[in-house]
Amino acid sequence: MLKTIIVGASGYTGAELANFITKHPELELAGLYVSENSADKGKPFSSLYGKLLGIVDMPIQPLAVADIPRACEGIDIVLLATAHEVSHNLAPDFLAQGVDVFDLSGAFRVNDLSFYEKYYGFTHQYPELLEKAVYGLAEWNAEEVKETNLIAVPGCYTTTSLLALKPLQQAGLLKPGTKPTINATSGVSGAGRKASTVSSFCEVSLQPYGVFTHRHKPEIDEHLGCPVVFTPHLGSYKRGILASINAVLNEGVTPEQVAKAYADAYQDEPIVRLLEGSYPALKNVEGTPFCDIAYAVDGEDIVLFSATDNLLKGASSQAIQCINIKYGFEMTTSLL
Ligand SMILES: NC(=O)C1=CN([C@@H]2O[C@H](COP(=O)(O)OP(=O)(O)OC[C@H]3O[C@@H](n4cnc5c(N)ncnc54)[C@H](OP(=O)(O)O)[C@@H]3O)[C@@H](O)[C@H]2O)C=CC1
Ligand SMILES: CC(=O)N[C@@H](CCC(=O)OP(=O)(O)O)C(=O)O
């Protein structure tokens, strides 16, 4: 059994991780942590997430940086379900204790120091960790995930967009010089559990945000290998992302070539479902680890549709996929 702890356990992605770990036959949930002065320290986990009453009742513990060596005793894996700068500050201490780090934040996803100044508002202190971090897009980077002890789990919009676009880009089917245009809507849980006016019940409405400035645009560019236009929208529902993506195919590309690109990429992948005869719907992915993808072609125009649960394939279940890959377990263990 691999002893596993979660930091940021009281948040939305942390709670999903706790649920998966309790169902995983090879992982043992060995600790749930929040910040040193958290309002939730000492509470039983199930007092926050009643669905797990009788399943995860252990108390949530406060974690100061000085506590990390003690928290790591006998521990194999830490999942950081914390804000970007918190993960940036904590990951090196966990790695120094010999614990494998799976980070759900954006702190190690892009190997470019200036990116963090511009999009995250902090100065990245660990270029050597950016070098060793592997981007945990499970269906595409499995071999690399096996080789590292720092996995940067991709963001939710990014996962949803990349899984749809990568087969076309990798097969060279996109028209050079054109930019795929991604319009994606996320449920409010994408903003995390902490109260804010923007995400409060009476304020939320279907609306674009982060236009031309969202940090997932450069993350997508980097891991797709081609620039995109990305516009996120906040939807007035709890969870799930639907991305509609317009792209232009190279001259002469046939629908058969497109179909082959998707089949080659995903026919052996249990978590990505290629739909035929229907389009993705949030109700079909909510609460599941799946990414549902469909497309329609009209001459050189292609429209792609991709749907995930932002808290699962967009975060926690993808982190578990990465654990399954790294330690040689079946890819879907505890997920399906
Ligand atoms: N929500 C989503 O759909 C997605 C989120 N992510 C990323 O995953 C990470 C977690 O997101 P999410 O679960 O939504 O966030 P939440 O805001 O819901 O939870 C954050 C958690 O971190 C804890 N925390 C805050 N500061 C510290 C600290 N210094 N030390 C230890 N714990 C701390 C919080 O508890 P407390 O403040 O009480 O200490 C809370 O448990 C973020 O980086 C986010 O960007 C990625 C993809 C999708
Ligand atoms: C609705 C909402 O607010 N969504 C979040 C994205 C959540 C996510 O994917 O987090 P990462 O930044 O870790 O990738 C946002 O736009 O900031």
Side-chain angles (χ1 to χ4, degrees), residues 8 10-13 34-35 38 81-82 84 104-105 189-190 192-193 310-311 314:
S10 67
Y12 287 152
T13 61
V34 287
S35 61
S38 171
T82 40
H84 316 293
L104 276 68
S105 87
S189 60
R193 182 163 180 260
N310 53 295
L311 294 175

Side-chain angles (χ1 to χ4, degrees), residues 82 84 104-107 109 120 153-158 185-192 198-199 209 214-216 219 230 232-235 241 310 314-315:
T82 40
H84 316 293
L104 276 68
S105 87
R109 291 181 191 149
Y120 286 84
V153 182
C156 50
Y157 286 120
T158 326
T185 302
S186 171
V188 184
S189 60
V198 175
S199 58
Y209 67 102
H214 197 281
R215 64 190 182 283
H216 285 183
E219 188 182 320
F230 168 63
H233 300 67
L234 187 65
I241 288 185
N310 53 295

Side-chain angles (χ1 to χ4, degrees), residues 148-299:
T148 186
N149 57 357
L150 174 55
I151 287 93
V153 182
C156 50
Y157 286 120
T158 326
T159 294
T160 313
S161 306
L162 286 174
L163 289 175
L165 279 165
K166 269 186 96 73
L168 296 178
Q169 167 71 1
Q170 294 289 303
L173 303 185
L174 292 173
K175 189 171 204 163
T178 62
K179 290 182 186 177
T181 300
I182 303 162
N183 287 297
T185 302
S186 171
V188 184
S189 60
R193 182 163 180 260
K194 214 175 197 168
S196 89
T197 312
V198 175
S199 58
S200 78
F201 185 79
C202 289
E203 297 294 327
V204 167
S205 178
L206 178 57
Q207 192 173 31
Y209 67 102
V211 179
F212 288 126
T213 59
H214 197 281
R215 64 190 182 283
H216 285 183
K217 136 83 183 155
E219 188 182 320
I220 297 168
D221 291 354
E222 166 84 7
H223 294 286
L224 181 62
C226 121
V228 299
V229 177
F230 168 63
T231 311
H233 300 67
L234 187 65
S236 41
Y237 57 91
K238 286 186 185 174
R239 54 201 286 174
I241 288 185
L242 179 68
S244 300
I245 307 171
N246 292 68
V248 183
L249 296 170
N250 225 335
E251 233 164 81
V253 170
T254 62
E256 290 72 28
Q257 283 174 285
V258 173
K260 183 174 183 316
Y262 282 96
D264 287 350
Y266 298 131
Q267 65 191 355
D268 297 325
E269 294 293 349
I271 295 296
V272 178
R273 302 189 295 195
L274 298 173
L275 307 188
E276 284 176 27
S278 69
Y279 293 116
L282 290 185
K283 66 179 180 179
N284 297 333
V285 294
E286 189 185 332
T288 84
F290 294 117
C291 176
D292 283 358
I293 293 175
Y295 60 83
V297 178
D298 182 17

Side-chain angles (χ1 to χ4, degrees), residues 10 34-44 48 59-63:
S10 67
V34 287
S35 61
E36 199 175 355
N37 299 312
S38 171
D40 294 319
K41 68 180 177 187
K43 292 182 185 170
L48 302 184
I60 301 170
Q61 302 174 64
L63 182 77

